[in-house]
Amino acid sequence: MADDAPVTGRRTGPLAPPGGPEPVAVLTGFVRTLRAAGVAADHHRTRTFLAALGHLDAADGRDVYWAGRLTLCAGPDDLARYDHCFAAYFSAASAPPHRVRAMTVSVTRPVASPYGGRERETTGEQGDEQGAPPATASEIEVLRHRDVARMSEAERRQVHRLLALLRGARQPRRTRRHRPSPHGGAIDARRTVREILRHGGEPARLRRRVRRERPRRVVMLVDVSGSMAAYADTLLRFAHALVRAEPRATEVFSIGTRLTRITAALRHRDPGHAMDECSAAIPDWSGGTRLGEEVRALLRLPDPRGAIVVIASDGWERGEAGLLGVQMARLSRLARRVVWVNPHKGDPAYRPLTAGIRAALPYVTDFVAGHSLAAYEELAALLAGDRPVRAGGRGGADA
């Protein structure tokens, strides 16, 4: 790293002077500035950043600079944005009170025009700002509802960055274990008796306990056959976000001509490296699909029992549809919930007419779309329990 990096020295540290804002608020504000500038500084990186500063001197600008650069940047593309934001943000934060013109962070937020950004580039109207119509909506908001199969490579990369920031919370489930509770619950007889014995048999306060909670396990199957080639990469990145959020409560398999467990490949923090690991682990990219045999292979494993099973596939079955129906019936009895994600369901003209999807739908709890960032956000909300159960899901009534 270059020695002439824009680092504020110890004497004029980056954090606010005594009486100013809290150091954590200053640092989290800096992380939000990085996100607005396009740096993929998610909450995991933020926690690592704050943890690293716990072992360093947070009032030293050099310590803050290097801790943030090593923990918040995901790749070489982030380094220049990081340096620019660091210099602008902390220069403004450490400005003297009498300073009138404080430096502000210049953040470029892409906006959408009615005729789109690509057409503007092709017409060669670069720099013609006066002739451009006013923006009507954020481009990110437009991308949220656009089909990923029809995106350009740059738009798809932007969606993938947003998917990496997706919250992967889960529905909690109560376990058989208990934990002490100072705020009510069932009486803990053992702890109460031990408390009484410690006091020589004198009456003591009743001890109480409640059931422990853990995140509900999610088992996700991603179809990597040829008919799903336009969506497989984005679905795997969504699965990567789930694994990163709850690594002990997520299992991911690829389905094509065989069932392949790829959870270990998706545990890498960097999404690009995780996708490379997946490419090496999946042997049947762009092949056919034998959903019935693969669901039967999944049922031989303990993973689906009591879990939320998410099947991301268009339902094109090259095997026997009857076998798929039988295995889906078994799966619906074992799993807590069966969610079928079909990218084509985002099309209003779509009808579930293929034999495979018609055989599976009677045993599916939720039949949802998976074609856009908004659809993935709704799926994440469904897994987190923020979205109510859809009464019309089972039986394909929602189709």
Side-chain angles (χ1 to χ4, degrees):
M1 206 59 63
D3 294 336
D4 56 351
V7 182
T8 307
R10 179 183 292 274
R11 188 172 56 86
T12 56
L15 300 184
E22 292 293 331
V24 175
V26 174
L27 296 173
T28 54
F30 172 55
V31 174
R32 284 195 295 270
T33 303
L34 289 175
R35 290 173 185 164
V39 178
D42 56 12
H43 67 282
H44 291 288
R45 293 181 185 277
T46 305
R47 291 172 58 186
T48 306
F49 173 50
L50 297 177
L53 284 179
H55 299 280
L56 301 171
D57 185 1
D60 189 338
R62 189 171 296 275
D63 285 357
V64 175
Y65 172 81
W66 286 109
R69 185 158 177 160
L70 294 175
T71 58
L72 298 175
C73 295
D77 295 339
D78 294 340
L79 298 180
R81 287 193 288 265
Y82 177 86
D83 289 344
H84 176 72
C85 290
F86 186 91
Y89 184 88
F90 287 114
S91 296
S94 59
H98 63 275
R99 187 174 182 179
V100 178
R101 296 181 58 188
M103 293 183 63
T104 57
V105 179
S106 177
V107 178
T108 301
R109 301 189 63 179
V111 294
S113 61
Y115 50 81
R118 286 176 296 175
E119 291 77 359
R120 185 180 179 186
E121 293 178 358
T122 55
T123 56
E125 296 178 358
Q126 297 180 357
D128 186 10
E129 296 294 336
Q130 295 180 352
T136 57
S138 168
E139 187 179 39
I140 295 177
E141 184 62 24
V142 175
L143 285 178
R144 287 184 67 248
H145 300 279
R146 186 173 297 172
D147 194 322
V148 295
R150 299 186 178 91
M151 290 182 179
S152 65
E153 191 61 31
E155 292 170 339
R156 193 173 290 111
R157 284 198 298 269
Q158 176 69 14
V159 169
H160 291 170
R161 282 196 291 268
L162 295 174
L163 277 177
L165 302 176
L166 198 64
R167 187 173 68 95
R170 300 295 164 73
Q171 290 181 0
R173 68 175 180 87
R174 292 196 303 173
T175 67
R176 295 182 179 180
R177 296 180 179 275
H178 293 81
R179 64 174 177 82
S181 172
H183 307 295
I187 296 176
D188 190 340
R190 291 185 177 180
R191 291 181 62 232
T192 302
V193 170
R194 286 198 296 268
E195 184 73 11
I196 293 174
L197 292 176
R198 273 196 295 270
H199 291 81
E202 294 294 330
R205 185 166 60 91
L206 289 177
R207 301 294 179 177
R208 298 185 179 275
R209 65 179 186 176
V210 295
R211 300 274 288 273
R212 293 181 183 271
E213 290 188 345
R214 286 186 176 179
R216 175 75 60 184
R217 286 187 302 112
V218 169
V219 178
M220 186 170 184
L221 281 65
V222 180
D223 189 344
V224 295
S225 63
S227 61
M228 288 285 292
Y231 301 97
D233 183 55
T234 305
L235 285 167
L236 286 173
R237 290 177 182 272
F238 175 79
H240 175 259
L242 296 183
V243 173
R244 291 291 304 157
E246 294 291 348
R248 300 180 63 181
T250 308
E251 287 293 338
V252 183
F253 297 85
S254 68
I255 52 175
T257 58
R258 66 184 67 180
L259 185 72
T260 306
R261 190 189 296 267
I262 55 174
T263 310
L266 293 173
R267 284 190 178 135
H268 198 281
R269 186 177 64 176
D270 182 70
H273 190 89
M275 293 302 105
D276 293 340
E277 294 287 332
C278 280
S279 298
I282 298 175
D284 51 349
W285 277 99
S286 300
T289 310
R290 296 187 178 90
L291 292 173
E293 297 177 9
E294 286 156 351
V295 173
R296 182 168 58 184
L298 176 68
L299 290 172
R300 296 194 185 104
L301 304 174
D303 300 271
R305 186 179 297 275
I308 299 176
V309 178
V310 180
I311 303 176
S313 172
D314 56 2
W316 284 94
E317 170 67 315
R318 300 186 65 179
E320 297 180 5
L323 175 62
L324 176 60
V326 171
Q327 302 306 321
M328 288 297 295
R330 293 181 55 200
L331 179 62
S332 67
R333 291 192 293 269
L334 283 176
R336 174 75 175 183
R337 195 169 185 168
V338 180
V339 181
W340 193 291
V341 182
N342 191 331
H344 302 308
K345 192 175 183 298
D347 186 352
Y350 169 77
R351 296 292 181 272
L353 300 179
T354 61
I357 200 69
R358 291 175 66 87
L361 276 183
Y363 310 104
V364 170
T365 312
D366 296 275
F367 185 44
V368 301
H371 66 295
S372 66
L373 178 61
Y376 295 132
E377 291 173 346
E378 292 181 2
L379 176 59
L382 176 66
L383 299 180
D386 298 337
R387 178 178 159 184
V389 177
R390 303 174 65 172
R394 194 179 292 274
D398 189 53

